[in-house]
Amino acid sequence: MTSTVTELPWMWAGLFSYALATIIAFRTVWQLGGVGSIALPSRNTERWILLFIVSGVVLLTIALGVRWDRLGHGPFVNLYELLMSQLFSLGLIYAIVYWRVPSLRSSAVVVLPLIWILGTWILFLEPVDSRFPPTYHNNWLWAHVGFGKVFLSFCLVAAGLAGVILLRAIPRFGRSFSNMSDAALDQLAWRFMMLALVFDSLMLIAGAVWAQDAWGRYWSWDALETSSFITWLSIGAGIHARLSFKIPIRMGALVILAIFGLAFTTYFGAPYYSEAAHKGVI
């Protein structure tokens, strides 16, 4: 435990910065939902939310760098490292999207609590050191991990917009999300799901090539591979239903949240109950 003390303060500071962004987002939505209040958050408030998200990303970058320098390998072997690196990547990509696409900034009140599922989880884990498996010395691993992080981040953005659509139905919060119509939010959410499908496909391809180099097979239908394939099919099926059958907007929002839940379970559940090679034991 003492050997990891150098990285923990940086990680805690990053989580604290994320917490401040979350509190401001919730406070803004609650205030804007009041009678007689203005309908849109101020630009100053949005700047503070972005500032604290970016600060959290920077602090987590330092934490990851300290751990990487100490252990000599990337932070994606055990669950503690996976959660810490994912807190970094989700925050980074959401910060970029938040900055570049002002119309989805109201989704912070949904996205940040979802990120905090990982933030709370990591606080209960021991920051144990990990051993870098020989099969992880492969450039395709970097592509596989990178595409996966972008895929889950775009799923998170879509889930945030879907959550806004559902929250708009609650009278208390209707005014807080009045900057866009349900139809506009729905269209934007499914665009991000399409991007998620692209990067999910790239993740599966890169993972298959890595598996061939590392273990001599492209696919073995282990628990994680099967769950990943089901997730890929569910995204494709959701997009197909949205484009072909014109499913109701709120039903579409529920579909997006269900897909995100499946992707989340695949990413953070399957590798750790399965005896698959992804677990880092082979």
Side-chain angles (χ1 to χ4, degrees):
M1 182 70 177
T2 56
S3 64
T4 62
V5 69
T6 53
E7 74 215 28
L8 290 179
W10 297 106
M11 186 191 73
W12 291 334
L15 291 177
F16 180 71
S17 189
Y18 279 178
L20 290 176
T22 307
I23 291 170
I24 294 172
F26 267 95
R27 182 173 178 271
T28 301
V29 167
W30 186 259
Q31 287 181 335
L32 295 181
V35 178
S37 64
I38 59 174
L40 295 174
S42 67
R43 290 191 175 184
N44 190 52
T45 299
E46 292 177 343
R47 289 193 188 101
W48 278 110
I49 293 173
L50 179 60
L51 174 64
F52 283 122
I53 295 174
V54 171
S55 297
V57 171
V58 172
L59 291 165
L60 287 170
T61 301
I62 297 173
L64 290 169
V66 170
R67 185 175 180 86
W68 196 325
D69 180 68
R70 183 171 59 79
L71 297 183
H73 63 73
F76 38 67
V77 177
N78 61 25
L79 180 58
Y80 172 80
E81 293 173 348
L82 177 62
L83 292 180
M84 186 162 60
S85 64
Q86 200 67 51
L87 283 165
F88 156 77
S89 61
L90 291 175
L92 174 63
I93 293 177
Y94 185 68
I96 294 172
V97 173
Y98 188 95
W99 169 50
R100 297 298 299 170
V101 189
S103 58
L104 59 67
R105 289 176 181 173
S106 59
S107 67
V109 75
V110 178
V111 168
L112 293 175
L114 290 175
I115 290 178
W116 261 104
I117 296 174
L118 304 183
T120 304
W121 192 354
I122 199 171
L123 292 175
F124 289 93
L125 295 178
E126 283 291 326
V128 294
D129 293 351
S130 60
R131 177 183 63 85
F132 204 62
T135 51
Y136 279 32
H137 293 278
N138 189 300
N139 289 332
W140 282 101
L141 169 64
W142 292 95
H144 178 62
V145 171
F147 289 139
K149 289 184 180 301
V150 177
F151 147 66
L152 192 64
S153 296
F154 284 151
C155 269
L156 176 67
V157 174
L161 292 168
V164 169
I165 291 173
L166 297 176
L167 285 174
R168 283 164 60 97
I170 302 174
R172 169 75 197 185
F173 302 118
R175 287 175 56 83
S176 303
F177 305 115
S178 59
N179 60 323
M180 293 181 71
S181 66
D182 283 351
L185 289 169
D186 175 71
Q187 185 178 46
L188 190 58
W190 283 106
R191 285 181 178 178
F192 276 100
M193 288 304 293
M194 290 178 184
L195 287 172
L197 179 63
V198 171
F199 282 94
D200 191 17
S201 301
L202 293 173
M203 180 191 72
L204 292 176
I205 293 169
V209 177
W210 168 42
Q212 172 61 26
D213 289 348
W215 302 290
R217 48 80 175 165
Y218 289 103
W219 197 268
S220 67
W221 293 106
D222 63 43
L224 180 56
E225 290 174 350
T226 302
S227 184
S228 297
F229 183 59
I230 292 173
T231 300
W232 182 81
L233 287 177
S234 70
I235 298 174
I239 293 173
H240 175 69
R242 165 66 173 76
L243 296 176
S244 300
F245 301 106
K246 306 296 183 182
I247 58 177
I249 290 176
R250 288 179 187 170
M251 181 181 294
L254 291 172
V255 169
I256 289 174
L257 289 174
I259 292 173
F260 175 76
L262 179 58
F264 187 93
T265 303
T266 296
Y267 213 103
F268 299 105
Y272 299 96
Y273 67 74
S274 165
E275 291 302 321
H278 300 77
K279 204 171 186 178
V281 296
I282 297 178

